[in-house]
């Protein structure tokens, strides 16, 4: 199989450089703010339960609805990015997630709060796929894995802001002031986007794709889905992302406080450890995959295995609570889930031409969020049914991991053979005179 470096030498690659970093940085700052808003409920879950007087199932509905909208928007967003470009889609996303966050701050009832989270999820859905597309338009192909991991790392920095800053504001100035004040970040990135963001460098405009209505949509989706690399990317994303997503987005704080008997402060420190681990592992995974494409699947499957092992040990630990050292190891391992999920895009990217990158990324990105949504719901229902038995509730993680691994193993050889043929054909088309 060709290395990543070889794909980066093809003529027509974007030049990269400082201007690329500056433009890409604006796009990533939008994603950064979106993640702050997305994960803000993770540090406010117990407060939301008190504010709206709801139980575990109703509380999980906040995140489930948000992720349902997010996952359902991935393919439409991919199509929009392919058709309209990054700037227009990101701009619409900023408006939607900022209004959603403001609505959540001011919601007087559970119903209006639900609607606000759905709006937030819709805007959030438009950010990451756009940032991935921006990276492919501004940086050489050989930088793709590292650029994608760096985007994920910046997203985790947004999670860190939620954990460290927003949680303190919440308990310092109150619900409305904390959530409403955070919307100023949305206004700032919107202004930067409008003034400075560009879809591509000069001289690297994509060829116009004729739009044929529904026929175009069907063709884009069908062509992307036919590629085994796209499907493998989806299942890698599905299997790796959700354990940490569920932990950080909603159920980590209740599990650590109610099941493990920790204080909120200590639980918050452990959530911060997940984020910090994610940022470190993301840099390592990005460098390894950029240099050795053959490491993609071992890294992904190794992360799934380590996550399953640690969850099994924590949930099965004799006694009422697990020791602190074991919870620390669990959080460090959970930090690898996000970087491992980014590997899914490294399977979908070489399988699809530039004009399908948004659609293929949207399909891939659905995986982890569908898994997260399913697990959030399962944990909430099982907690209500079992009287807050976290061992039973969190055991649902293993079911989805087993499903995902079976699909990865089924598709891996087919995707590898197809990628080898595609890389060989692209190299031949470059070196054979017209």
């Amino acid at each position: 199989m060709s290395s990543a470096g070889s794909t980066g030498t093809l003529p027509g690659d974007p030049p990269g450089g400082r201007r690329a970093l500056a433009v890409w940085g604006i796009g990533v700052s939008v994603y950064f703010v979106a993640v702050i808003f997305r994960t803000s409920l993770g540090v406010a879950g117990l407060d939301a339960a008190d504010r709206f007087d709801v139980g575990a199932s109703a509380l999980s509905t906040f995140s489930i609805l948000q992720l349902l909208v997010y996952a359902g928007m991935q393919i439409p967003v991919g199509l929009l990015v392919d058709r309209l470009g990054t700037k227009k889609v990101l701009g619409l996303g900023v408006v939607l997630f900022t209004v959603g966050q403001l609505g959540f701050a001011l919601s007087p009832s559970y119903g209006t709060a639900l609607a606000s989270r759905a709006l937030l999820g819709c805007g959030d859905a438009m950010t990451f796929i756009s940032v991935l597309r921006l990276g492919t338009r501004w940086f050489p192909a050989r930088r793709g894995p590292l650029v994608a991991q760096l985007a994920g790392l910046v997203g985790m920095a947004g999670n860190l802001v939620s954990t460290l800053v927003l949680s303190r504001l919440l308990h310092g100035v109150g619900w409305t002031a904390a959530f409403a004040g955070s919307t100023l970040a949305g206004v700032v990135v919107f202004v930067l986007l409008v003034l400075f963001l560009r879809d591509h460098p000069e001289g690297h405009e994509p060829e116009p794709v004729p739009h044929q209505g529904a026929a175009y949509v069907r063709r884009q989706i069908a062509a992307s889905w036919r590629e085994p690399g796209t499907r493998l990317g989806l299942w890698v994303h599905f299997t790796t992302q959700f354990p940490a997503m569920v932990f950080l987005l909603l159920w980590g704080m209740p599990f650590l406080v109610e099941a493990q008997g920790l204080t909120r402060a200590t639980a918050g420190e452990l959530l911060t450890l997940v984020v910090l681990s994610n940022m470190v592992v993301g840099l390592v995974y990005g460098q390894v995959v950029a240099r050795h494409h053959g490491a993609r699947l071992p890294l992904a499957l190794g992360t799934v295995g380590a996550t399953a092992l640690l969850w099994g040990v924590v949930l099965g630990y004799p006694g009422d609570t697990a020791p602190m050292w074991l919870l620390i190891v669990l959080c460090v391992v959970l930090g690898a889930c996000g970087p491992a999920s980014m590997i899914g895009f490294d399977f979908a990217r070489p399988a699809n031409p530039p004009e399908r990158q948004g659609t293929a990324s949207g399909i891939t990105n659905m995986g982890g969020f569908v898994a997260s949504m399913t697990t959030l719901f399962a944990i909430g229902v099982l907690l209500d049914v079992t009287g807050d038995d976290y061992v039973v509730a969190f055991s649902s993680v293993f079911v989805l991991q087993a499903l995902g691994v079976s699909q990865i193993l089924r598709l891996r050889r087919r995707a590898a053979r197809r990628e080898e043929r595609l890389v060989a054909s692209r190299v031949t088309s470059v070196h054979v005179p017209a």
Side-chain angles (χ1 to χ4, degrees):
M1 184 179 296
S2 179
S3 69
S6 65
T7 61
T9 60
L10 295 178
D13 253 359
R18 293 183 179 179
R19 177 165 169 75
L21 280 172
V23 174
W24 180 78
I26 294 170
V28 169
S29 69
V30 174
Y31 177 55
F32 172 77
V33 174
V35 173
I36 294 176
F37 292 179
R38 178 202 304 170
T39 58
S40 58
L41 186 61
V43 298
L46 297 175
D47 299 271
D50 293 337
R51 179 179 177 87
F52 300 112
D53 192 24
V54 295
S57 295
L59 181 61
S60 66
T61 302
F62 277 124
S63 296
I64 291 167
L65 179 61
Q66 182 179 334
L67 291 183
L68 178 63
V69 173
Y70 186 105
M73 287 291 294
Q74 287 310 292
I75 293 178
V77 167
L79 291 164
L80 284 174
V81 171
D82 286 338
R83 284 297 307 164
L84 303 179
T86 300
K87 184 170 185 174
K88 292 179 181 178
V89 177
L90 269 182
L92 179 58
V94 174
V95 172
L96 291 176
F97 69 61
T98 302
V99 172
Q101 183 79 338
L102 181 61
F104 193 61
L106 304 176
S107 292
S109 66
Y110 177 70
T112 55
L114 270 181
S116 297
R117 293 306 286 188
L119 190 62
L120 191 157
C122 185
D124 183 16
M126 297 181 177
T127 58
F128 188 64
I129 300 302
S130 298
V131 169
L132 287 180
R133 174 60 173 263
L134 199 65
T136 63
R137 290 300 187 192
W138 281 89
F139 292 96
R142 69 180 183 275
R143 300 295 185 192
L146 182 59
V147 169
Q149 287 287 358
L150 288 174
L153 186 151
V154 172
M156 290 309 296
N159 202 324
L160 194 63
V161 170
S162 288
T163 305
L164 295 179
V165 178
L166 190 58
S167 60
R168 285 172 171 76
L169 283 175
L170 186 65
H171 299 110
V173 301
W175 178 283
T176 301
F179 279 100
S182 68
T183 61
L184 292 176
V187 176
V188 171
V189 295
F190 180 76
V191 172
L192 291 174
L193 182 153
V194 170
L195 293 179
F196 302 112
L197 192 131
R198 299 293 181 269
D199 285 337
H200 45 72
E202 292 181 8
H204 291 269
E205 295 82 358
E207 294 184 7
V209 179
H211 194 289
Q212 300 174 6
Y216 165 80
V217 172
R218 289 194 299 267
R219 186 171 60 251
Q220 286 285 93
I221 295 173
S224 297
W225 183 255
R226 276 197 301 268
E227 294 294 343
T230 304
R231 301 199 301 277
L232 179 59
L234 179 146
W235 284 108
V236 167
H237 199 270
F238 177 101
T239 313
T240 53
Q241 187 201 47
F242 78 93
M245 176 71 73
V246 167
F247 197 78
L248 290 171
L249 199 60
L250 184 60
W251 291 121
M253 181 70 77
F255 170 76
L256 294 171
V257 172
E258 297 177 355
Q260 299 301 316
L262 304 180
T263 64
R264 287 196 182 195
T266 303
E269 291 172 356
L270 287 176
L271 294 179
T272 303
L273 179 60
V274 177
V275 177
L276 292 174
S277 173
N278 183 296
M279 297 172 75
V280 173
V281 174
L283 288 174
V284 175
Y285 277 19
Q287 292 285 358
V288 170
V289 172
R291 288 174 168 80
H292 308 285
H293 257 34
R296 290 174 298 175
L297 207 54
L299 284 176
L301 292 176
T303 302
V304 174
T307 304
L309 175 64
L310 264 296
W311 263 124
V313 173
V314 169
L315 296 178
Y317 195 86
D320 294 333
T321 59
M324 178 58 72
W325 68 265
L326 184 55
L327 294 176
I328 290 174
V329 175
L330 171 66
C331 290
V332 170
V333 171
L334 285 175
C337 291
S341 72
M342 300 300 298
I343 295 173
F345 298 103
D346 293 318
F347 287 106
R349 188 183 303 112
N352 292 272
E355 64 270 16
R356 287 208 310 265
Q357 287 294 321
T359 305
S361 296
I363 292 173
T364 300
N365 207 31
M366 283 180 62
F369 289 93
V370 169
S372 298
M373 179 179 59
T374 303
T375 310
L376 284 167
F377 177 74
I379 290 174
V381 170
L382 289 170
L383 285 174
D384 283 344
V385 170
T386 62
D388 292 336
D389 188 330
Y390 280 89
V391 173
V392 174
F394 273 91
S395 294
S396 58
V397 169
F398 305 124
V399 177
L400 272 75
Q401 284 184 321
L403 171 63
V405 168
S406 69
Q407 295 301 311
I408 291 171
L409 296 178
R410 181 178 67 86
L411 288 163
R412 72 190 191 283
R413 289 192 179 91
R414 195 184 318 168
R417 290 193 298 268
R418 174 64 171 161
E419 184 173 319
E420 287 176 352
R421 289 196 299 269
L422 287 171
V423 170
S425 66
R426 288 167 190 165
V427 171
T428 301
S429 67
V430 169
H431 289 94
V432 174

